[in-house]
Amino acid sequence: MLRLWLPRFVLLLVLLISWSANAQPALPSGVSEMELYGTVIRGSKWEIKEIPVCWENLQPKDQKYAVLVRKAVAETWETAAQGGVWFSKTWPLCTDGAPGVHVRVADEGAHTDVVGKYLDRKPSGMTLNFSFNHWSKGCRDRREFCIRAVAVHEFGHALGFTHEQNRDDAPEQCRNEKASGSVGDYKVTKYDPNSIMNYCNPAWNGNGQLSPLDIAAVRTFYPS
């Protein structure tokens, strides 16, 4: 009887060892799968699905660029999120205390003062440049491309994503030369050299497109 049972026991033991070697490591206590993903600030996640956006000082001459920005955000972050999060369909002029992301247009470096839900109701929380007369002058000859690429980057911040090059697992030279802004406290994906949030991306602002890991990150952080 023992001779019949022993080979089965050995086979079972081999299978268990093989399964253990290939299994994903257990998550740390209290950490969800979402919390392992991309470079974000954990508390910045919006608790609503539809995020309002308004323009603080949009001029009639810039209306076509506002449409371009809205389209770029829809084609990138919103499409990638698959219904997990989106921005309001219409972006009116801001009123005092209006909810959501307040966007200012100015001929200066595009930036977002804070990330994610901390932008809610914050005056001039995001600044975009539509002219490039004093900042990034090389964009004057390819204005629409630059407006699109920069907007997609900044709206990544609006969703809570920080700069990829700030991560402690980014290449040292990249981190030392390009570190900027807040440091995330969640790594939603492995380090992504092609992220639109990475200043060290060989393509400037990712050419306005999300990388596969950017897409994975937003789908995980904002599940549908």
Side-chain angles (χ1 to χ4, degrees):
M1 187 72 172
L2 180 59
R3 291 178 181 177
L4 294 174
W5 176 83
L6 187 57
R8 296 177 183 176
F9 174 77
V10 172
L11 177 61
L12 178 62
L13 186 60
V14 169
L15 289 173
L16 286 172
I17 293 172
S18 176
W19 175 84
S20 177
N22 292 297
Q24 294 295 323
L27 295 176
S29 176
V31 175
S32 69
E33 183 178 355
M34 179 190 73
E35 294 169 351
L36 294 180
Y37 263 72
T39 315
V40 296
I41 292 181
R42 105 181 70 190
S44 70
K45 181 181 178 181
W46 292 86
E47 297 169 0
I48 55 177
K49 291 281 190 181
E50 182 174 309
I51 303 170
V53 180
C54 63
W55 296 99
E56 287 193 345
N57 61 337
L58 186 67
Q59 302 298 313
K61 66 181 177 64
D62 290 330
Q63 183 62 41
K64 65 178 180 180
Y65 300 128
V67 172
L68 177 64
V69 169
R70 182 67 189 91
K71 186 171 184 285
V73 173
E75 291 175 345
T76 54
W77 294 113
E78 291 182 353
T79 297
Q82 297 182 320
V85 68
W86 62 91
F87 295 94
S88 55
K89 184 175 181 179
T90 59
W91 298 3
L93 292 176
C94 298
T95 57
D96 289 343
V101 182
H102 289 220
V103 184
R104 178 176 70 106
V105 179
D107 190 11
E108 60 185 62
H111 62 275
T112 304
D113 286 350
V114 289
V115 300
K117 72 178 184 181
Y118 300 120
L119 285 168
D120 192 21
R121 304 175 191 269
K122 182 176 177 60
S124 303
M126 180 186 295
T127 296
L128 297 178
N129 192 323
F130 289 168
S131 60
F132 304 103
N133 290 320
H134 297 99
W135 175 76
S136 198
K137 294 181 180 180
C139 281
R140 284 183 293 186
D141 295 330
R142 50 177 189 162
R143 183 177 304 184
E144 292 192 359
F145 166 79
C146 289
I147 288 173
R148 175 191 169 89
V150 170
V152 177
H153 177 95
E154 296 305 330
F155 274 89
H157 289 315
L159 290 172
F161 291 96
T162 57
H163 286 140
E164 192 76 357
Q165 75 274 5
N166 291 352
R167 293 168 55 135
D168 58 7
D169 57 347
E172 184 177 2
Q173 182 178 358
C174 171
R175 191 169 64 247
N176 291 341
E177 293 180 1
K178 301 290 187 178
S180 174
S182 302
V183 177
D185 56 8
Y186 281 174
K187 294 174 182 173
V188 185
T189 64
K190 64 183 180 180
Y191 172 73
D192 184 6
N194 299 311
S195 172
I196 196 166
M197 307 309 295
N198 194 345
Y199 281 2
C200 297
N201 189 328
W204 184 77
N205 271 320
N207 285 331
Q209 302 296 328
L210 304 186
S211 72
L213 288 179
D214 287 332
I215 294 171
V218 72
R219 288 179 182 175
T220 303
F221 197 48
Y222 290 100
S224 57

